[in-house]
Amino acid sequence: MNIPAELKYTKDHEWISIDGDVATVGITDFAQGELGDIVYVEVETVDETLEIEEIFGTVEAVKTVSDLFLPLSGEIIEFNSALEDEPEKVNSDPYGEGWMIKMKISDASQIDGLLTADAYKELIGA
C-alpha cells in the first residue's frame, strides 16, 4: 500500500499536500481500495469557505457513496475537473492525477492535528 511520507492524513482517509497556504486534497490509496471502482466524484463547494471536518463532496463507487471531509478550514478554490470524465483516476493514481480539490487554508495551526504517514499506517494497521 502506498502511503507517501511527505503527505499529511486524516482519520477519515483524506491526504493533504501543503504548499504555502494552499493544500491539495484527495483520498488515500487505502480508501480507494476499500471503496472499489469509483464511478463519480461530486464537489459542489468550489468558492465556498468551510470549517474543518465539514463535508466538501462525495465519492460514489459501484457499491457505496462516501462523504468527503475537509481536513482543514478554508476556501475550496479548485475542483479537479478531469474527474468529471475520468473518476477512475482516483483508483489508478490517488496521490497524483486523482487529486480532488485545492483549498486556501484559513487556519494553519490545524495542520498540527493531521496525521503523519506513520500515524496513518498505524490507524489502518498497515
Side-chain angles (χ1 to χ4, degrees):
M1 182 171 319
N2 186 12
I3 303 173
E6 69 276 9
L7 301 177
K8 295 287 190 179
Y9 300 88
T10 71
K11 62 181 176 22
D12 298 309
H13 311 290
E14 283 89 20
W15 60 263
I16 307 95
S17 170
I18 299 166
D19 183 11
D21 66 349
V22 175
T24 303
V25 180
I27 64 170
T28 64
D29 191 27
F30 174 82
Q32 70 80 20
E34 291 291 301
L35 287 168
D37 292 338
I38 293 172
V39 296
Y40 189 68
V41 178
E42 180 177 51
V43 174
E44 295 184 347
T45 51
V46 174
D47 296 328
E48 290 183 26
T49 299
L50 302 175
E51 294 300 312
I52 189 170
E53 296 184 358
E54 276 194 90
I55 295 170
F56 72 84
T58 57
V59 60
E60 184 177 338
V62 173
K63 58 185 178 184
T64 189
V65 175
S66 185
D67 289 332
L68 298 166
F69 298 95
L70 202 62
L72 302 166
S73 296
E75 180 186 0
I76 313 298
I77 56 174
E78 185 179 347
F79 169 64
N80 182 357
S81 59
L83 300 181
E84 291 175 356
D85 295 326
E86 298 178 272
E88 64 275 5
K89 286 183 180 218
V90 176
N91 292 117
S92 63
D93 191 11
Y95 301 113
E97 292 184 2
W99 66 274
M100 294 182 175
I101 62 164
K102 292 190 182 208
M103 63 176 292
K104 187 169 181 61
I105 301 167
S106 61
D107 184 354
S109 71
Q110 294 174 339
I111 295 168
D112 295 337
L114 298 171
L115 302 173
T116 63
D118 287 340
Y120 183 70
K121 285 178 189 173
E122 192 172 305
L123 175 77
I124 62 173

